[in-house]
Amino acid sequence: MAPSRTVDERTKALVAPVSAAVQSACADPKQDAANERSQASFNPEELAVLMQGGQSKADLNKRAVELLQELPFGDKTRRYMLTRPEEYVGGLEAGVAIWNMRNAGKISHGEAMAMRRQLNWPGGLELHLGMFIPSILAHGTDEQQAYWMPKCERLEVIGTYAQTELGHGTFLRGLETVAVFDPDTDEFVVHSPTLTATKWWPGGLGKTATHVILMARLVSRGRDYGVHSFVMQIRDLPTHRPLPGVTVGDIGPKLGYQGVDNGYLSFDHVRIPRSALLSRWSKLDAAGNYTPPPPANAKASYATMVFVRADIVKNAGDFLSRAVTIATRYAAVRRQTAPAAGARELQVLDYDNVSQTLLPLVARAYALSFMGRELFGMYSRYVRDRERGVFGDLPELHALSSGLKAACTEQTANGIETCRRTCGGHGYSQLSGLPNLFAYYVQNVTWEGENSVMYLQAARFLIKAALAVRGGKLPEELAPSARFLGARGDAVSGVRGARGWADPAAQVEGLAHVARHLTLQALRVLLAANGGQPAFEGAAWNGSSVDLIRAARAFCMLELHRTFVAAVEECAAQGLSAATADALRALEANGDLLESGFITQEQAAALRDAKRQLVREVRPDAVAYTDGFGYDDYLLNSALGRKDGDVYRALLDMAQASPLNDSEEGPAWDAVLKAQLGSTKAKL
Amino acid sequence: MAPSRTVDERTKALVAPVSAAVQSACADPKQDAANERSQASFNPEELAVLMQGGQSKADLNKRAVELLQELPFGDKTRRYMLTRPEEYVGGLEAGVAIWNMRNAGKISHGEAMAMRRQLNWPGGLELHLGMFIPSILAHGTDEQQAYWMPKCERLEVIGTYAQTELGHGTFLRGLETVAVFDPDTDEFVVHSPTLTATKWWPGGLGKTATHVILMARLVSRGRDYGVHSFVMQIRDLPTHRPLPGVTVGDIGPKLGYQGVDNGYLSFDHVRIPRSALLSRWSKLDAAGNYTPPPPANAKASYATMVFVRADIVKNAGDFLSRAVTIATRYAAVRRQTAPAAGARELQVLDYDNVSQTLLPLVARAYALSFMGRELFGMYSRYVRDRERGVFGDLPELHALSSGLKAACTEQTANGIETCRRTCGGHGYSQLSGLPNLFAYYVQNVTWEGENSVMYLQAARFLIKAALAVRGGKLPEELAPSARFLGARGDAVSGVRGARGWADPAAQVEGLAHVARHLTLQALRVLLAANGGQPAFEGAAWNGSSVDLIRAARAFCMLELHRTFVAAVEECAAQGLSAATADALRALEANGDLLESGFITQEQAAALRDAKRQLVREVRPDAVAYTDGFGYDDYLLNSALGRKDGDVYRALLDMAQASPLNDSEEGPAWDAVLKAQLGSTKAKL
């Protein structure tokens, strides 16, 4: 801040009328935000409760924010300013503190989890809670669980999950770390035979974890039984130094997640007891005789995978809705360029290309949230059926959860970046929250199954269904989501004009037609590459992957839209007319509809008209839809996404915490600038 | 590193055969990289010289790297590890040091500029060199230049360019900062009448600049003459503290550019002399009488804009080529997933969907570089013509430079991110260089004209040309790049089979057809929105912007491809067969070709076949093409983009510099973990 000083009255008088003219023409973003809300056609409060999962969850979120605001680590003022070590230490401190509060009974488990969500500070504890504990529960014997779980709960140990290696990602069979059984001592010798065997990426491994779930090849009596899970200590507890033979450290900075100490880990002939093998399913006796897991176990681990993917899809909705909340609110108060001399600058949201970008993304965010719920529902039904010994739905569930994992993460990652770009210059400021949102989200297109691999899983299901149809199966004999492949469907769309496209049934039929056409086209390419025979691996499959992925993406768009239409019908009372906007977005993105021969040039033009009209219809509700996601300013931590619209004040206030502002002269004065500039006279 | 310790012989003997088996199956990335080069069909050295702009420029780049490697600030080992203050101080130190070496005659100006490029460390000096000095040269009188230039050259002052404000971006007329002339003292009073008048974003403003080119409304004798340039001191030189009435600081962290102190600046009735007004074109006398710039001046500033955009397009090629170099080299040595049990894991570049993503981007990077050269050529021709008083080409040059600015930056920003995603998990590591490449590049879609605004400039040119054709103008009466709108063209493509699409003429004709169709469609939408009359602003223009932007994008794809085809013909000797791959990529991206009715379903399928085949044909040259860009490992600073393929060693080595690795226990031990874990017994 400049020191206060006196400006003489004559100067004030000279400038005052000029200032007054500027001030009277100046827009008031708070007023713009209020105007947006006053023109909404529905009350977003109700919707916000629904989207948070009901009143009790909404209350929990509110309570979590209140709790956090009273705690030192809950202050987000400097969050975007932290160095990596500060972000790492702070995140861990917060994570440990919340967990200790829970253990001490000061807060409930639900409050602890809600606080973690609202604090939104991933750190060294994520994989302890998210992978170490669940692995012990899933793969440990009752004795192993009884031994480890109390220590885990009390944070007397902190674990992580060490699977990926420098040279190996998701391909489990390629892992190079070995655990060789030594029957003479009843121990395994854990060893990294190559540089590429170095474990790489596990969160919390670098400087936090004392233990790991180690994924390594179990070798006994000269035989390699493939990759198994071991629980293994890597650091000495009283000193936190690596145990002998263990090399461990931080892998350096990443895109996002600076608070997480993703680590590397390698072994030089390190001995661990036989009891380190998690033995609920696979066992090794003292003589080194191996018992493989029961065959049904594979299906259990499929279920876990489906659960994780349902969570990823739900999460996609969460992240995209945060991004559209920020971008839409800002576009509503940002004014840029007067359409004519003397006119007021337009709200950015009133530029047609902006509203036609943002509003379909708002609808998409709702669609993704509904899809996540639907997948959780399918998972629950599967678990219920499995308990009755019924496994029929598994291939479909696997295909849907794989494909939708890819489609939803792809749309959210790209959608966040699109939102950021609509914010213009201020979207580049970390204080907008958007660069971080992207950096923290985008990994979802890669982890838990790289997206092209995921699409190909869904494509396998589609190709099998298409072959079944060809072999004479009737639609009702196919899995429900594949029945569109057996349906006849009209060869040519009968939709007329823009109004016709507003009908959800027409939208779904259009998307089904595209998915059918692309599936059959991919099948043709695949058969042509393999002498007329189907193949599901090898050169022919690989050589058809671009077409297969395209078909799977179209299939997922169909599923997503079908689910959205059904969900909107269920809660039409909340006023979700953006449904149709989403639909048209989905259709328009595909030139595929034309290639399939389903629609004509005129119908395509009508489709674009329909989209244009629909976006204009829902424009007055834009800000209300973002309120309907129910995010607190505290969670968003965004100067641009503030509910009250006071974005410019927020930017200026938040910038004060920049470490470069610690002194007026700045950190380069003594080191660089003084010698260069300081010898000159005071004023030029 | 783990302390050395002795492993007993029996343990070694137990593990040795297992290790040997793993080692023998393990891939050697250096060998993979060497194999790629040995299978190339051409020698990339020659191409690398061409792409760097000739032998003397290639030598300069090499020399710059040698010079930098002998200087302390030239060490890039810790570059990805720096805190913001470290990155700011380091970048400024390097920038000042290089400039002082040049001023002292230790290096040539060319060497200084090459060192700045190879060092690649944007900091507080960028706008001094890139905007402050050029503004004084463009808008200062001879006396002003004589006064300021020596000080600028010797870095006795450091300047920046203060235009954008918190509430105002590119819309110059909206700026709120005022400079009110006081004839009694022959001074201006500079004042910020509103919060939104706060200058925001200028690089180097936060803590470095002593002076600014201030863009403010000149008000004299009660009349507002609009925005003018003033040169103004903001900091005291001996102390570097803000002058009275000046508030200045850093705006906080951004997406990329952490070394730059982008700043904010506001004024409380600050007096500057009348001589602060840069008066080459506009003048104010001591009585406050204003003389406006001569009318021809607007055309001069257009020329500057064209030059800047040509540079942006060239730069787009540079950035995309760096990204594809890193991603392609890594995809060639990364192996992932064995196609069948017992088989070797495949090189990621041999997955069809990866090669069909990366190779077209390689071609695109070459295309963007050629386009940049072509635009520079057009600019030079324009400047030559202007000197002869000929201004005819300006509307076309303006349209092309606007549209291509948008198209090229959009493709590069999205292309870098696509490259990053093909790198899987390791693409998230900052050590790959890719997250930074994106963060430093993506602003180009926003600055110097936000892309949708730029596309609309090109659309205006297209619509005018389309109206001229409608009014009876013949193709040869149109600007050369618009002649395709007047050409008849076949109504339906005659291309047969995949081979047919390999013909550049067929590709260009296809793209021309799409651009023509979309221009006419946008015109229809525009006329329909305005009662049959054309409009170039207001609601009808705004309401047609989605279609207008689509048409402009198609027009730019046509220009880009036309230029590429011509350039490749010129240097076919270098073996640039990827040209065709690029073409097909461009075509395929448009479902538009179908919507235009130009091609049939069968032709579309053939187009996809053609692309598939072409990518396979150029696959053996993939790595050689990246060598052809001529980048030194020093510039790329990427563990994954290393020329020798030794990527895993590089990741591990580079990670050692992480500040979290400064101690074995890590920075959270004393503060958080000791209390939680330290009291437990040593080993569980």
Side-chain angles (χ1 to χ4, degrees):
Chain A
M1 287 288 129
S4 72
R5 74 194 172 106
T6 320
V7 176
D8 64 278
E9 291 306 316
R10 204 185 62 80
T11 303
K12 280 188 191 162
L14 179 75
V15 174
V18 181
S19 290
V22 170
Q23 286 156 4
S24 76
C26 174
D28 176 358
K30 286 197 280 187
Q31 190 56 53
D32 281 335
N35 291 347
E36 288 291 331
R37 290 202 176 80
S38 71
Q39 72 181 10
S41 71
F42 68 96
N43 174 5
E45 289 299 316
E46 203 182 352
L47 188 55
V49 169
L50 174 78
M51 295 309 290
Q52 288 175 84
Q55 190 64 52
S56 67
K57 293 226 175 118
D59 291 344
L60 205 55
N61 284 336
K62 204 162 158 248
R63 171 91 183 113
V65 172
E66 287 164 4
L67 283 163
L68 285 164
Q69 281 172 330
E70 284 165 20
L71 292 162
F73 61 75
D75 179 2
K76 292 188 178 179
T77 316
R78 290 192 66 246
R79 185 74 71 81
Y80 298 123
M81 313 293 176
L82 303 178
T83 65
R84 242 203 103 201
E86 286 170 349
E87 194 165 340
Y88 161 65
V89 174
L92 194 59
E93 185 182 12
V96 168
I98 292 172
W99 205 253
N100 286 342
M101 284 168 76
R102 164 195 177 272
N103 284 351
K106 290 182 191 160
I107 52 172
S108 70
H109 180 76
E111 283 169 338
M113 300 314 277
M115 283 170 75
R116 287 172 55 80
R117 271 198 309 278
Q118 297 290 330
L119 182 65
N120 191 24
W121 195 341
L125 225 54
E126 307 307 309
L127 268 76
H128 177 68
L129 303 177
M131 289 296 286
F132 188 75
I133 291 176
S135 295
I136 291 172
L137 291 174
H139 301 288
T141 61
D142 292 348
E143 300 76 39
Q144 286 173 320
Q145 294 185 24
Y147 182 79
W148 288 109
M149 284 307 296
K151 294 178 174 58
C152 288
E153 282 282 325
R154 293 192 299 257
L155 293 187
E156 290 168 10
V157 303
I158 297 176
T160 183
Y161 181 82
Q163 176 177 314
T164 53
E165 298 174 352
L166 255 179
H168 304 280
T170 46
F171 182 60
L172 219 60
R173 289 207 311 269
L175 295 182
E176 295 178 332
T177 304
V178 294
V180 185
F181 185 61
D182 183 353
D184 292 356
T185 63
D186 205 29
E187 290 172 315
F188 292 101
V189 183
V190 174
H191 188 62
S192 310
T194 58
L195 174 76
T196 41
T198 305
K199 294 291 175 188
W200 195 268
W201 277 114
L205 172 61
K207 294 292 161 181
T208 309
T210 59
H211 288 68
V212 297
I213 300 294
L214 178 76
M215 300 300 280
R217 310 164 82 95
L218 189 166
V219 179
S220 176
R221 302 171 69 166
R223 186 145 164 218
D224 183 340
Y225 291 100
V227 173
H228 284 73
S229 318
F230 302 82
V231 58
M232 177 174 183
Q233 184 171 348
I234 57 167
R235 286 178 178 273
D236 177 54
L237 292 173
T239 65
H240 209 58
R241 297 181 70 90
L243 291 176
V246 170
T247 301
V248 60
D250 175 77
I251 65 165
K254 300 133 301 188
L255 182 54
Y257 290 91
Q258 304 301 10
V260 181
D261 55 324
N262 298 77
Y264 64 86
L265 175 66
S266 65
F267 305 99
D268 176 17
H269 299 89
V270 178
R271 288 180 170 270
I272 55 173
R274 182 164 59 92
S275 62
L277 175 68
L278 288 177
S279 303
R280 185 165 205 88
W281 311 107
S282 320
K283 298 173 205 300
L284 195 81
D285 71 17
N289 297 307
Y290 177 77
T291 311
N297 190 47
K299 287 182 176 162
S301 69
Y302 261 135
T304 309
M305 212 156 66
V306 169
F307 181 87
V308 170
R309 287 178 191 160
D311 198 47
I312 289 177
V313 169
K314 193 192 156 295
N315 206 30
D318 287 351
F319 270 79
L320 186 56
S321 58
R322 289 187 217 173
V324 295
T325 297
I326 295 170
T328 306
R329 288 177 178 175
Y330 177 60
V333 305
R334 173 72 175 183
R335 288 175 175 271
Q336 173 73 44
T337 308
R344 194 99 183 268
E345 291 186 66
L346 269 189
Q347 285 168 275
V348 168
L349 192 53
D350 283 329
Y351 284 96
D352 222 46
N353 57 315
V354 173
S355 57
Q356 302 229 18
T357 301
L358 284 180
L359 283 162
L361 285 174
V362 171
R364 180 62 43 86
Y366 277 101
L368 294 175
S369 296
F370 289 128
M371 191 73 240
R373 284 163 198 229
E374 175 65 17
L375 272 179
F376 273 120
M378 290 172 74
Y379 167 77
S380 305
R381 286 193 292 279
Y382 167 73
V383 169
R384 261 204 319 276
D385 289 352
R386 191 182 55 175
E387 278 159 15
R388 295 184 291 119
V390 180
F391 287 97
D393 285 354
L394 198 57
E396 181 183 31
L397 192 53
H398 179 65
L400 276 174
S401 67
S402 301
L404 286 165
K405 184 271 171 189
C408 297
T409 58
E410 180 177 284
Q411 287 180 45
T412 293
N414 298 344
I416 294 170
E417 174 63 8
T418 300
C419 285
R420 198 189 59 70
R421 291 190 197 173
T422 66
C423 293
H426 292 327
Y428 292 83
S429 170
Q430 296 280 0
L431 310 182
S432 73
L434 289 166
N436 249 22
L437 208 57
F438 181 79
Y440 278 74
Y441 188 76
V442 67
Q443 57 136 347
N444 281 283
V445 307
T446 302
W447 86 305
E448 281 295 328
E450 195 275 329
N451 276 0
S452 59
V453 178
M454 291 295 94
Y455 275 132
L456 288 169
Q457 295 291 331
R460 189 181 308 265
F461 167 80
L462 288 176
I463 293 294
K464 283 189 176 163
L467 288 166
V469 169
R470 205 183 245 224
K473 268 211 180 170
L474 298 171
E476 56 270 29
E477 297 175 282
L478 298 170
S481 66
R483 280 179 198 156
F484 76 97
L485 286 171
R488 278 282 103 203
D490 296 327
V492 176
S493 169
V495 170
R496 294 210 186 161
R499 272 284 132 225
W501 284 114
D503 173 20
Q507 298 159 7
V508 169
E509 177 50 21
L511 289 168
H513 193 89
V514 168
R516 195 155 52 222
H517 171 77
L518 291 180
T519 301
L520 295 177
Q521 179 168 296
L523 179 59
R524 268 195 299 276
V525 171
L526 180 66
L527 294 175
N530 202 41
Q533 292 305 307
F536 295 94
E537 58 174 24
W541 181 259
N542 178 15
S544 314
S545 57
V546 172
D547 295 81
L548 290 164
I549 288 169
R550 218 167 140 230
R553 189 182 278 117
F555 167 60
C556 293
M557 293 312 294
L558 167 64
E559 261 318 297
L560 193 57
H561 191 55
R562 230 167 17 191
T563 304
F564 189 35
V565 168
V568 171
E569 268 168 41
E570 259 182 59
C571 49
Q574 277 82 17
L576 277 176
S577 65
T580 31
D582 182 65
L584 293 164
R585 172 85 182 86
L587 288 171
E588 200 223 15
N590 284 282
D592 304 329
L593 204 55
L594 285 143
E595 183 165 339
S596 73
F598 188 56
I599 64 170
T600 63
Q601 285 184 52
E602 288 72 28
Q603 286 170 314
L607 184 53
R608 289 186 209 283
D609 272 354
K611 187 191 162 204
R612 210 182 345 255
Q613 288 169 24
L614 269 159
V615 166
R616 287 180 195 163
E617 279 169 28
V618 297
R619 162 67 186 86
D621 284 329
V623 168
Y625 277 124
T626 70
D627 294 344
F629 293 120
Y631 291 121
D632 196 284
D633 278 351
Y634 180 83
L635 176 74
L636 296 176
N637 198 23
S638 164
L640 305 187
R642 286 172 66 98
K643 198 163 182 178
D644 67 4
D646 202 5
V647 297
Y648 301 118
R649 173 74 58 194
L651 280 169
L652 190 59
D653 286 351
M654 288 174 78
Q656 300 311 312
S658 166
L660 266 60
N661 290 331
D662 287 351
S663 70
E664 281 287 10
E665 300 83 357
W669 174 243
D670 284 328
V672 183
L673 294 175
K674 199 173 189 171
Q676 191 72 28
L677 304 167
S679 57
T680 331
K681 62 184 175 188
K683 201 152 175 195
L684 294 173
Chain B
M1 286 288 127
S4 74
R5 73 197 172 106
T6 320
V7 177
D8 64 277
E9 290 306 317
R10 204 185 61 79
T11 304
K12 282 189 190 161
L14 178 75
V15 174
V18 181
S19 290
V22 170
Q23 285 155 3
S24 77
C26 174
D28 177 357
K30 287 198 278 187
Q31 190 56 53
D32 281 337
N35 290 348
E36 289 289 332
R37 291 202 175 79
S38 70
Q39 72 182 8
S41 72
F42 69 95
N43 175 5
E45 290 298 316
E46 203 182 351
L47 189 54
V49 170
L50 174 77
M51 295 308 291
Q52 287 175 86
Q55 190 63 52
S56 66
K57 292 226 175 115
D59 291 344
L60 205 55
N61 284 336
K62 203 161 160 250
R63 170 90 183 115
V65 173
E66 287 164 4
L67 282 164
L68 285 164
Q69 281 172 332
E70 283 164 21
L71 293 163
F73 61 75
D75 180 2
K76 291 188 178 180
T77 316
R78 291 193 66 246
R79 183 74 71 83
Y80 298 122
M81 313 294 177
L82 302 179
T83 64
R84 243 203 101 201
E86 286 169 349
E87 195 165 339
Y88 161 65
V89 175
L92 193 59
E93 186 181 12
V96 168
I98 291 173
W99 205 254
N100 285 342
M101 285 169 74
R102 163 196 177 274
N103 284 351
K106 290 182 191 159
I107 52 173
S108 70
H109 181 77
E111 283 169 337
M113 299 314 277
M115 282 170 77
R116 286 172 55 80
R117 271 198 310 277
Q118 296 290 329
L119 182 64
N120 191 25
W121 195 341
L125 225 52
E126 307 308 309
L127 269 75
H128 177 68
L129 302 176
M131 289 295 286
F132 188 74
I133 290 177
S135 294
I136 290 173
L137 291 175
H139 301 288
T141 60
D142 292 348
E143 299 74 38
Q144 285 173 322
Q145 294 185 25
Y147 182 79
W148 288 109
M149 285 308 297
K151 294 177 174 58
C152 289
E153 282 283 325
R154 293 192 298 258
L155 293 186
E156 289 167 9
V157 302
I158 297 177
T160 183
Y161 181 82
Q163 175 176 315
T164 53
E165 298 175 353
L166 255 179
H168 303 279
T170 45
F171 182 60
L172 219 60
R173 290 206 310 269
L175 295 182
E176 295 178 332
T177 304
V178 295
V180 185
F181 185 60
D182 183 353
D184 292 355
T185 62
D186 205 27
E187 290 172 316
F188 292 100
V189 183
V190 174
H191 187 62
S192 310
T194 59
L195 174 76
T196 41
T198 306
K199 295 291 174 187
W200 196 268
W201 277 116
L205 172 61
K207 293 292 162 181
T208 309
T210 59
H211 288 68
V212 297
I213 299 294
L214 177 76
M215 299 301 279
R217 308 163 84 94
L218 189 166
V219 179
S220 177
R221 303 170 69 167
R223 183 141 167 222
D224 183 339
Y225 290 100
V227 173
H228 284 71
S229 317
F230 302 81
V231 57
M232 176 174 184
Q233 184 171 346
I234 57 167
R235 285 179 179 272
D236 176 55
L237 292 171
T239 65
H240 209 59
R241 298 181 70 89
L243 293 176
V246 170
T247 301
V248 59
D250 175 77
I251 65 165
K254 298 133 301 187
L255 182 54
Y257 291 91
Q258 305 301 8
V260 180
D261 55 325
N262 299 77
Y264 64 86
L265 173 66
S266 64
F267 306 99
D268 176 15
H269 299 87
V270 178
R271 289 180 169 272
I272 55 174
R274 182 164 58 93
S275 62
L277 175 68
L278 288 177
S279 303
R280 186 166 206 87
W281 311 107
S282 321
K283 298 174 205 303
L284 195 81
D285 70 18
N289 297 307
Y290 177 77
T291 311
N297 191 46
K299 286 182 177 163
S301 71
Y302 261 136
T304 309
M305 211 157 67
V306 169
F307 182 87
V308 169
R309 286 178 192 159
D311 198 47
I312 289 176
V313 169
K314 193 192 157 294
N315 206 31
D318 286 351
F319 269 80
L320 185 56
S321 58
R322 288 188 218 173
V324 295
T325 296
I326 295 169
T328 306
R329 287 178 179 175
Y330 177 60
V333 305
R334 174 71 175 183
R335 289 176 174 270
Q336 173 72 45
T337 307
R344 193 97 184 268
E345 292 186 66
L346 270 188
Q347 286 168 275
V348 167
L349 192 54
D350 283 328
Y351 284 96
D352 222 46
N353 56 316
V354 173
S355 56
Q356 301 227 19
T357 301
L358 284 180
L359 283 163
L361 284 174
V362 171
R364 181 62 42 87
Y366 278 101
L368 293 175
S369 296
F370 289 128
M371 190 74 240
R373 284 163 197 229
E374 176 64 19
L375 271 178
F376 273 121
M378 289 171 75
Y379 167 77
S380 305
R381 285 192 294 279
Y382 168 73
V383 170
R384 258 203 321 275
D385 288 351
R386 191 182 56 174
E387 279 161 14
R388 295 185 291 119
V390 179
F391 287 97
D393 283 355
L394 197 56
E396 181 182 31
L397 191 54
H398 179 65
L400 277 174
S401 68
S402 301
L404 286 165
K405 184 272 173 188
C408 296
T409 57
E410 180 176 284
Q411 287 179 46
T412 293
N414 298 345
I416 294 170
E417 174 62 10
T418 301
C419 285
R420 196 190 61 70
R421 291 191 198 173
T422 67
C423 293
H426 292 328
Y428 292 83
S429 170
Q430 296 280 1
L431 311 181
S432 72
L434 290 166
N436 250 20
L437 209 57
F438 181 79
Y440 278 74
Y441 188 76
V442 67
Q443 57 136 348
N444 282 283
V445 306
T446 302
W447 86 306
E448 282 296 328
E450 196 273 331
N451 275 0
S452 58
V453 177
M454 291 295 95
Y455 276 132
L456 288 170
Q457 296 290 333
R460 189 182 309 264
F461 167 79
L462 289 176
I463 293 293
K464 283 189 176 164
L467 287 166
V469 169
R470 207 182 242 223
K473 268 209 180 173
L474 296 172
E476 56 271 29
E477 297 175 282
L478 299 171
S481 66
R483 283 181 195 153
F484 76 98
L485 286 171
R488 277 283 101 204
D490 295 328
V492 176
S493 168
V495 170
R496 293 209 186 163
R499 273 284 132 225
W501 284 114
D503 173 20
Q507 298 159 8
V508 169
E509 176 51 20
L511 289 168
H513 193 89
V514 169
R516 196 155 52 222
H517 171 76
L518 292 180
T519 301
L520 295 177
Q521 180 168 294
L523 179 59
R524 267 194 300 276
V525 171
L526 179 66
L527 294 175
N530 202 40
Q533 292 305 309
F536 295 94
E537 60 175 20
W541 181 258
N542 179 14
S544 314
S545 58
V546 172
D547 294 80
L548 290 165
I549 288 169
R550 217 166 140 230
R553 189 182 278 117
F555 167 59
C556 293
M557 295 310 298
L558 166 64
E559 258 323 292
L560 194 56
H561 192 53
R562 225 161 29 185
T563 304
F564 189 35
V565 168
V568 170
E569 267 167 42
E570 259 182 60
C571 50
Q574 276 83 17
L576 277 177
S577 66
T580 31
D582 182 64
L584 293 164
R585 172 84 182 85
L587 288 172
E588 200 223 13
N590 285 282
D592 304 329
L593 204 55
L594 286 142
E595 184 166 338
S596 71
F598 188 58
I599 65 170
T600 64
Q601 285 184 52
E602 289 70 31
Q603 285 169 314
L607 184 53
R608 290 186 207 284
D609 272 353
K611 187 192 164 204
R612 211 183 344 257
Q613 288 170 24
L614 269 160
V615 166
R616 287 181 194 162
E617 278 168 29
V618 298
R619 163 66 186 86
D621 284 329
V623 168
Y625 277 124
T626 70
D627 294 344
F629 293 119
Y631 291 121
D632 197 285
D633 278 351
Y634 180 82
L635 176 74
L636 296 176
N637 198 22
S638 165
L640 305 187
R642 286 173 66 98
K643 195 162 184 178
D644 67 4
D646 202 5
V647 297
Y648 301 118
R649 173 75 58 195
L651 279 170
L652 191 58
D653 286 351
M654 287 173 79
Q656 301 311 312
S658 166
L660 266 59
N661 290 331
D662 286 351
S663 72
E664 280 288 8
E665 300 84 357
W669 174 242
D670 284 329
V672 183
L673 293 174
K674 199 173 192 173
Q676 191 73 26
L677 303 166
S679 58
T680 332
K681 62 184 177 189
K683 199 153 175 194
L684 294 173

